[in-house]
Amino acid sequence: MAFFVDVSVRSLNKHNEELCGDKVEVIRTRESVIIILSDGLGSGVKANILATLTSKIIGTMLKEGASIDEAVDTITQTLPICSVRQVAYSTFTILQIFNDGHAYIVEFDNPSIAFFRGGEAVSLPWEERIIHGKRIRESELQIFKEDIFVMFSDGVVHAGVGKILNMGWQYDNVLEYIQKNVRKNPSVNMLAGQIISACSSFYQGEPGDDTTIVAAEIRQPSHLSIMAGPPSDPSMDAAAVKSFMDCPGAKVVCGGTTANIVSRCIKKPIKTVLEYESPDIPPIAYISGIDLVTEGIITLNKVLKNLKDINKGAMEQYNFIYRYNDGASKLTRMLLDRYTHINIYIGRAVNPAHKKQEFSDALGIKTEILELLAEKLDLFGKEVVKIYY
């Protein structure tokens, strides 16, 4: 079955710590997608080192075909010993989803992974065994499209301890909350954001533990192509537009000059809109056959800011993009929630008046924004391809 594993990660650092003691590694190979969540002993630098080593070792070894027994043995022999507690300790959860449609899960001391099918929580079959003195749990199952997995560190079940919730956010209550949000959220990005936002509220903005959410959904691959900026050579206009239009899926054009080129090449007129949805974002336009036409730098910069804010766990920003239909909000929604594979066509034309500094600066700014946008989308688990022309 052809599918894409859409992965979203959200974390909170323990209060007053610069580094998170949880670490998530996502590795995509030809055979599978491997997701590892590790939680290092304690917090801060030491915990971060333990968690990073654990996730990197497990990820690298599984990618190269090693067994979980070999990976656990290597971790046991590799992790540094804590000078205070005299233990080398990092919990972990592994989710490996294979292209043939089955999943393999391993847990060691983390809260149990939550699995949802058809909007309902489903209990998984588990087997326990000892590997080099560590009691692990394993599960295997057949997967289907729209199945959702949610992994989380113990900072989630500790949320609110000594504050709003005396005993913390109990596992069954966490599961109930996730199930409610699985049913109403359009994407795992929003789902992970809702859960981490709830944790932050229980901690009253001062997390008592590192807290991490990993949400993964089995999805039908969906494609979006963005074209921004004219080609470096005008003779390339037709070829660039043809390549863009031949891509499968939705199409977005950013920038007035680019829109004019696309309009001319596909022989479809531009319909401009004068009404502002937002005073800060220029209006969108319409071209038949193109899903969205926006202004260039201002709109793209706002989209980048939206992604940065949402990645930091600002759910108010996520809610904001659903309240408005300006070009930046529309494009942000498309990138986060609707599409898994993104092609970004980056034009390298220099304005004929390039001797004026502002034009060359604008070209550099646009290119930088698009490259940063690609980097940020990669963090959101999207498959991104950049095409320069």
Side-chain angles (χ1 to χ4, degrees):
M1 107 176 140
F3 61 87
F4 179 79
V5 183
D6 198 3
V7 182
S8 182
V9 179
R10 295 286 189 279
S11 290
L12 298 172
N13 293 4
K14 183 177 179 180
H15 185 55
N16 288 330
E17 293 288 358
E18 292 186 7
L19 295 175
C20 186
D22 301 335
K23 181 67 177 177
V24 177
E25 191 81 9
V26 181
I27 301 169
R28 298 181 186 270
T29 73
R30 290 183 179 180
E31 295 78 27
S32 69
V33 177
I34 305 166
I35 307 168
I36 304 114
L37 165 62
S38 54
D39 181 354
L41 177 70
S43 60
V45 175
K46 289 182 179 179
N48 180 268
I49 292 171
L50 290 169
T52 300
L53 281 170
T54 299
S55 61
K56 290 288 186 183
I57 290 170
I58 292 175
T60 301
M61 293 189 69
L62 292 182
K63 180 181 177 182
E64 296 301 321
S67 68
I68 185 63
D69 300 61
E70 293 170 317
V72 171
D73 179 51
T74 303
I75 291 168
T76 303
Q77 298 183 48
T78 304
L79 292 187
I81 302 297
C82 174
S83 60
V84 177
R85 306 182 196 185
Q86 295 301 309
V87 292
Y89 192 78
S90 180
T91 66
F92 57 82
T93 304
I94 305 165
L95 170 62
Q96 188 169 15
I97 300 172
F98 293 87
N99 292 345
D100 64 3
H102 84 276
Y104 171 59
I105 304 165
V106 183
E107 295 181 348
F108 170 61
D109 271 8
N110 267 346
S112 190
I113 193 169
F115 174 65
F116 301 88
R117 177 171 289 166
E120 300 292 331
V122 178
S123 298
L124 297 175
W126 293 101
E127 292 186 2
E128 291 190 358
R129 63 191 180 99
I130 306 296
I131 301 179
H132 301 287
K134 297 183 184 296
R135 183 180 299 277
I136 70 161
R137 303 204 314 159
E138 295 174 296
S139 183
E140 292 194 62
L141 71 154
Q142 191 70 25
I143 58 167
F144 299 93
K145 286 173 184 173
E146 300 185 2
D147 284 352
I148 293 176
F149 297 88
V150 181
M151 307 156 65
F152 45 95
S153 63
D154 60 7
V156 173
V157 293
H158 292 162
V161 169
K163 293 187 176 181
I164 294 177
L165 305 172
N166 289 335
M167 302 298 292
W169 201 10
Q170 299 295 298
Y171 182 86
D172 288 345
N173 294 329
V174 175
L175 198 65
E176 182 182 354
Y177 179 86
I178 297 174
Q179 179 170 278
K180 180 179 69 175
N181 281 279
V182 160
R183 293 170 177 168
K184 70 180 184 181
N185 284 328
S187 73
V188 289
N189 281 306
M190 180 174 273
L191 174 64
Q194 291 284 5
I195 302 167
I196 208 71
S197 180
C199 292
S200 181
S201 296
F202 287 138
Y203 278 124
Q204 297 182 312
E206 297 183 353
D209 195 2
D210 298 302
T211 306
T212 297
I213 299 290
V214 185
E217 181 180 12
I218 313 303
R219 291 187 57 183
Q220 178 76 28
S222 52
H223 299 262
L224 169 67
S225 296
I226 302 171
M227 189 173 193
S232 57
D233 185 341
S235 67
M236 298 167 58
D237 285 0
V241 172
K242 184 179 186 306
S243 173
F244 170 69
M245 294 301 295
D246 285 348
C247 287
K251 309 287 188 298
V252 175
V253 174
C254 299
T257 303
T258 311
N260 282 317
I261 291 171
V262 172
S263 171
R264 184 182 74 246
C265 290
I266 68 173
K267 297 180 172 56
K268 301 289 185 181
I270 300 174
K271 179 184 176 183
T272 57
V273 177
L274 299 179
E275 295 81 11
Y276 278 73
E277 287 279 347
S278 166
D280 301 323
I281 306 298
I284 62 173
Y286 295 92
I287 301 175
S288 179
I290 305 298
D291 296 83
L292 179 63
V293 181
T294 76
E295 176 273 342
I297 288 178
I298 296 173
T299 301
L300 289 168
N301 195 50
K302 177 60 175 175
V303 171
L304 180 61
K305 184 179 185 303
N306 287 342
L307 295 181
K308 287 179 177 178
D309 289 344
I310 292 167
N311 190 50
K312 293 176 183 176
M315 281 308 296
E316 64 274 9
Q317 190 63 37
Y318 211 130
N319 295 331
F320 179 87
I321 69 169
Y322 275 86
R323 287 200 296 269
Y324 295 96
N325 280 314
D326 60 86
S329 295
K330 281 176 173 284
L331 182 51
T332 306
R333 292 198 297 266
M334 294 172 79
L335 293 170
L336 283 182
D337 295 336
R338 291 175 57 188
Y339 299 99
T340 61
H341 293 67
I342 316 293
N343 295 320
I344 304 179
Y345 284 74
I346 304 173
R348 285 182 154 171
V350 177
N351 194 291
H354 66 276
K355 290 183 180 179
K356 294 184 178 180
Q357 186 64 37
E358 62 267 25
F359 288 113
S360 56
D361 285 350
L363 172 65
I365 291 170
K366 180 203 67 182
T367 302
E368 181 181 1
I369 290 172
L370 290 168
E371 289 176 344
L372 289 172
L373 192 65
E375 290 178 11
K376 193 59 64 177
L377 288 170
D378 184 65
L379 293 177
F380 278 96
K382 307 298 180 178
E383 289 285 297
V384 183
V385 175
K386 294 179 289 184
I387 302 103
Y388 295 89
Y389 56 90

